[in-house]
Amino acid sequence: LSGEVRVASAREGDPVRAEAKTMAEKALRAKIKAAGKKWDDFEAEARKAAIAKLITPELLAQAKARVDQTRAVAGDLADLGL
């Protein structure tokens, strides 16, 4: 591979949707644990479907607020030269 330049691309996508998915997964994990079961007791497709059901407009609004807050903090750090 002499002479080839490899570039790692950044993952692109909707950060709000990604945050909502993370929040929904955390909620699902808590519900599963509260029921006395384990995450691996459920098929991946069943978990994925349950996570999709948990993503509501309200959860998306909360996720947007988190993403906006994170961006604001990142902007503040850039202003500080960090």
Side-chain angles (χ1 to χ4, degrees):
L1 303 184
S2 178
E4 286 187 33
V5 177
R6 293 185 177 201
V7 177
S9 63
R11 183 175 180 188
E12 291 187 25
D14 182 5
V16 173
R17 189 93 180 145
E19 181 65 22
K21 186 176 177 185
T22 300
M23 293 168 68
E25 182 179 325
K26 286 178 105 176
L28 181 60
R29 284 183 181 270
K31 287 181 181 190
I32 289 172
K33 187 174 182 179
K37 300 199 182 274
K38 294 183 180 178
W39 180 255
D40 290 332
D41 290 345
F42 301 92
E43 295 290 326
E45 288 301 315
R47 294 188 311 242
K48 190 175 179 180
I51 288 169
K53 285 182 183 177
L54 290 173
I55 298 176
T56 63
E58 293 81 15
L59 187 70
L60 286 169
Q62 290 176 359
K64 183 175 181 350
R66 281 189 181 186
V67 169
D68 290 345
Q69 182 180 20
T70 301
R71 286 181 177 159
V73 169
D76 292 344
L77 291 176
D79 295 342
L80 297 173
L82 298 176

